[in-house]
Amino acid sequence: MNEQEQDETIDQWRRRYAQLAALAGELAHEIKNPLSVIRMNMELLHEDFEEINLPLARRAVERIETVNRQCQRLDTYLKDFLEFTRFTSLELKAGSLNDQIEQVLDFFLRKAEEQGVKIDRHLDAALPSIKLDSQTLQQALTNLVKNALEAMPNGGQLLVRTRLVRNGVALDVIDTGCGMEANALLNMFKEFYTSKDGGTGLGLPTARKIIEAHSGRINVQSEVGTGTCFTVEFPTPARLPE
């Protein structure tokens, strides 16, 4: 197979992937509509049975609550799946990585305080601009910070740092949480893999997908009982790959 044939094959696979992703997204949307109707009616049934002080009614309430929990779980799966499949191209413009992570940290500030997590920000004020799509990049950064906070339910420290590196700029998200075992490190970026109760296993794969769409890369180091460090690197405009 010559180079032209290889390029044509790659293009064909890309088109096929885009078509499948679009179809999966449409299917997820179709599932969300009846699921919303089911949840609404179960909530109404819950209200009706709560007013009846009989053993049969109490058992019915328990079963309704079970259905509601499973509906919520499905809704979370669908939401994360749609985020994973929804973008096919990015509108990249010059922007500040510092501004992006500042907005995400501000969003999680109250949650961090409630958990007893201290956020330390060490952002290089001289950091050059990068090419970014604000909405999707913030989604990736949100997943990283959310993951770090979930690793510290009983408090800790979250260090967020930006810095210059040889090929562009880097962002470090470092937590003092539970850390990850070897199996989790090997599988953490695989779709639907999760070691958390109620997790969908799509947060980190989505983050990596977005970062790579920005011509970036993500690495992780972790030690059980010590914490985890995610490092994301982006090229600066002058160093963007052709």
Side-chain angles (χ1 to χ4, degrees):
M1 183 181 293
N2 58 39
E3 185 175 343
Q4 181 178 354
E5 291 174 333
Q6 288 179 342
D7 290 341
E8 290 175 353
T9 301
I10 291 172
D11 287 340
Q12 289 174 359
W13 277 106
R14 285 176 176 169
R15 287 195 296 271
R16 184 177 179 184
Y17 172 81
Q19 291 171 351
L20 288 173
L23 180 61
E26 290 175 5
L27 178 60
H29 272 297
E30 290 300 319
I31 294 173
K32 281 182 72 69
N33 294 329
L35 182 61
S36 298
V37 174
I38 293 170
R39 290 185 63 187
M40 181 183 67
N41 281 278
M42 294 306 294
E43 289 169 1
L44 292 173
L45 281 173
H46 189 280
E47 293 175 2
D48 292 340
F49 277 100
E50 271 192 324
E51 297 175 358
I52 305 173
N53 189 22
L54 292 173
L56 180 62
R58 288 195 292 272
R59 288 196 296 273
V61 166
E62 290 174 359
R63 290 167 183 167
I64 290 169
E65 289 174 347
T66 298
V67 174
N68 275 335
R69 285 194 296 271
Q70 294 304 313
C71 285
Q72 179 60 52
R73 183 180 180 189
L74 282 172
D75 191 63
T76 300
Y77 267 105
L78 288 171
K79 176 179 176 294
D80 287 354
F81 182 74
L82 286 170
E83 288 180 349
F84 182 75
T85 61
R86 69 179 179 179
F87 76 92
T88 56
S89 61
L90 303 177
E91 293 184 9
L92 299 176
K93 300 178 181 179
S96 168
L97 178 59
N98 285 346
D99 288 347
Q100 300 299 308
I101 191 61
E102 286 271 27
Q103 292 179 50
V104 172
L105 293 176
D106 288 345
F107 175 79
F108 282 105
L109 188 58
R110 177 173 293 183
K111 179 176 176 61
E113 291 174 347
E114 291 173 351
Q115 289 184 204
V117 174
K118 183 177 183 292
I119 298 179
D120 288 329
R121 312 183 192 201
H122 296 279
L123 308 181
D124 186 349
L127 206 68
S129 297
I130 62 171
K131 290 287 189 178
L132 60 86
D133 180 285
S134 180
Q135 182 178 356
T136 54
L137 182 56
Q138 282 199 25
Q139 179 185 338
L141 301 181
T142 293
N143 288 344
L144 294 182
V145 174
K146 180 174 179 285
N147 188 78
L149 291 177
E150 288 175 347
M152 300 182 287
N154 300 315
Q157 181 181 17
L158 177 61
L159 170 62
V160 179
R161 175 177 63 202
T162 57
R163 54 193 171 88
L164 283 170
V165 292
R166 181 177 180 180
N167 294 317
V169 301
L171 166 71
D172 300 314
V173 178
I174 307 169
D175 68 65
T176 57
C178 56
M180 288 181 281
E181 297 180 350
N183 186 60
L185 281 171
L186 288 172
N187 294 288
M188 61 190 299
F189 290 116
K190 291 182 179 178
E191 293 83 355
F192 301 109
Y193 172 83
T194 180
S195 58
K196 303 172 185 176
D197 292 337
T200 63
L202 288 172
L204 291 177
T206 300
R208 184 177 71 170
K209 183 179 180 182
I210 292 171
I211 289 163
E212 290 178 349
H214 283 78
S215 301
R217 62 181 182 177
I218 181 169
N219 294 301
V220 59
Q221 295 179 321
S222 187
E223 184 176 343
V224 175
T226 300
T228 301
C229 172
F230 283 95
T231 297
V232 182
E233 295 186 12
F234 297 100
T236 50
R239 299 167 180 166
L240 282 171
E242 296 181 359

